[in-house]
DNA sequence: ACGCCTACCTGCTTGC
DNA sequence: TGCAAGCAGGTAGGCG
């Protein structure tokens, strides 16, 4: 379940390994992994491009390529990325391989096939990734990055006051704040002492402040711990340890560390 | 805008 | 033991 901290960790691990490398080809064994190209068109389009930078937006890894192009990788639930020598044995869950000129490969492994890789152009006037010149920006509609220093309590309050829904689905809404998923929404609400079914409109200023600070501090801590290695999540340089620090996620029935009573599970929006 | 549903997938767990 | 059903879950798209 890669969320912001997990994706950030993967991007950081990837960066020193692949910046400067040149892609010479691509092989895709599950066409629907590619958002907007056939495997053949994708291979032709990436070949010859150099990796200029590796970053992250929301839960997606963004790989800047030479020639004003960019790759986006969404790991969804079970996506993993590895950079390995081409001769290393490959397993059947690898859906996409980017072949590098130096004999290594970037391998996208994804058991459940929900992950998506997009290849886009960089609009040189706006700097945005677009499918075609004049088209909509790929990341249009995403909310602010919660760890961006320019994202302030004032911004958070303004956004909160435009919403009416329950807090848990709201935190999961990527157009509200980008990068929070099931794990860190639960953790942030617990830390802020706010019930997941509470609606945004009932928050008082101190509640808003606690939620803002809880979201940011839980994400900072999780990035420091390299994310939560639950189920299939791992990064190129290995697992994270945040799963050891979680207070509520997947702790149904276990005692609350604050009050000692067992954690109760409720389902909201099928989650 | 909100809430709810379904689809996409496969491995694992559960229950008979 | 064996097998089918149920579950997990981020996001898109549809409906009311």
């Amino acid at each position: 379940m890669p969320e912001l901290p997990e994706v950030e960790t993967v991007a950081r691990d990837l960066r020193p390994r692949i910046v400067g490398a040149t892609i010479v080809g691509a092989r895709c064994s599950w066409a629907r992994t590619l958002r907007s190209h056939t495997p053949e068109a994708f291979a032709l389009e990436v070949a010859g491009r150099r990796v200029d930078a590796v970053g992250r937006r929301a839960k997606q890894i963004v790989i800047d390529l030479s020639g004003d192009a960019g790759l986006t990788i969404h790991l969804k639930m079970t996506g993993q990325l590895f950079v390995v020598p081409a001769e290393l044995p490959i397993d059947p869950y690898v859906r996409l391989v980017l072949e590098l000129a130096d004999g290594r490969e970037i391998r996208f492994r994804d058991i459940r096939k929900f992950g998506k890789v997009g290849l886009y152009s960089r609009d040189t006037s706006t700097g945005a990734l677009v499918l075609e010149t004049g088209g909509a920006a790929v990341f249009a509609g995403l909310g602010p990055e919660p760890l961006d220093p320019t994202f302030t309590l004032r911004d958070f309050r303004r956004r909160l006051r435009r919403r009416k829904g329950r807090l848990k689905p709201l935190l999961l809404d990527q157009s509200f704040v980008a990068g929070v998923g099931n794990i860190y929404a639960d953790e942030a609400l617990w830390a802020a002492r706010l019930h997941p079914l509470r609606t945004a409109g009932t928050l008082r200023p101190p509640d808003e402040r606690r939620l803002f600070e809880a979201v940011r501090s839980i994400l900072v801590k999780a990035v420091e711990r390299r994310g939560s290695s639950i189920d299939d999540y791992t990064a190129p340089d290995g697992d994270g340890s945040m799963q050891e620090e979680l207070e509520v996620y997947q702790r149904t029935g276990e005692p609350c560390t604050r009050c000692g009573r067992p954690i109760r599970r409720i389902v909201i929006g099928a989650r």
Side-chain angles (χ1 to χ4, degrees), chain A residues 145-194:
Chain A
E145 283 294 324
L147 297 186
D148 185 330
T150 66
F151 180 57
T152 62
L153 175 58
R154 180 192 298 246
D155 298 324
F156 186 65
R157 284 203 165 112
R158 198 178 309 132
R159 302 183 76 82
L160 258 181
R161 289 171 189 181
R162 287 204 296 257
R163 300 299 207 108
K164 292 188 185 322
R166 296 163 170 174
L167 295 178
K168 174 75 186 275
L170 188 58
L171 289 178
L172 297 182
D173 183 344
Q174 300 301 294
S175 70
F176 176 65
V177 165
V180 176
N182 222 5
I183 302 172
Y184 302 110
D186 286 355
E187 294 298 312
L189 288 169
W190 183 86
R193 299 170 176 252
L194 291 169

Side-chain angles (χ1 to χ4, degrees), chain A residues 9-199:
Chain A
T9 301
V10 173
R12 287 181 184 183
D13 285 1
L14 219 47
R15 187 173 300 131
R17 294 171 187 242
I18 65 168
V19 168
T22 298
I23 299 169
V24 292
R27 312 190 301 275
C28 179
S29 59
W30 183 252
R32 271 180 276 183
T33 295
L34 301 175
R35 280 191 193 275
S36 50
H37 289 70
T38 63
E40 298 74 25
F42 182 89
L44 286 172
E45 195 62 35
V46 289
R49 296 186 193 268
R50 189 187 59 241
V51 174
D52 286 337
V54 180
R56 176 193 60 76
R57 174 73 173 106
K59 298 176 192 171
Q60 303 200 60
I61 293 154
V62 183
I63 301 179
D64 286 353
L65 300 178
S66 59
D68 292 312
L71 280 174
T72 64
I73 303 173
H74 200 311
L75 304 172
K76 291 287 179 87
M77 264 81 70
T78 58
Q80 303 170 328
L81 284 166
F82 303 101
V83 183
V84 296
E87 57 269 24
L88 206 79
I90 204 158
D91 79 57
Y93 299 118
V94 172
R95 312 297 179 189
L96 177 68
V97 175
L98 298 172
E99 302 161 345
L100 302 179
D102 58 17
R104 294 178 303 154
E105 292 179 341
I106 303 172
R107 293 182 181 171
F108 177 64
R109 181 175 186 270
D110 183 24
I111 291 176
R112 276 184 228 174
K113 299 179 173 173
F114 282 13
K116 292 278 183 262
V117 176
L119 176 57
Y120 302 102
S121 303
R122 176 85 57 196
D123 183 319
T124 46
S125 55
T126 63
L129 287 182
V130 295
L131 186 52
E132 54 200 58
T133 39
V138 172
F139 295 131
L142 279 181
E145 283 294 324
L147 297 186
D148 185 330
T150 66
F151 180 57
T152 62
L153 175 58
R154 180 192 298 246
D155 298 324
F156 186 65
R157 284 203 165 112
R158 198 178 309 132
R159 302 183 76 82
L160 258 181
R161 289 171 189 181
R162 287 204 296 257
R163 300 299 207 108
K164 292 188 185 322
R166 296 163 170 174
L167 295 178
K168 174 75 186 275
L170 188 58
L171 289 178
L172 297 182
D173 183 344
Q174 300 301 294
S175 70
F176 176 65
V177 165
V180 176
N182 222 5
I183 302 172
Y184 302 110
D186 286 355
E187 294 298 312
L189 288 169
W190 183 86
R193 299 170 176 252
L194 291 169
H195 197 281
L197 288 176
R198 185 124 169 231
T199 53

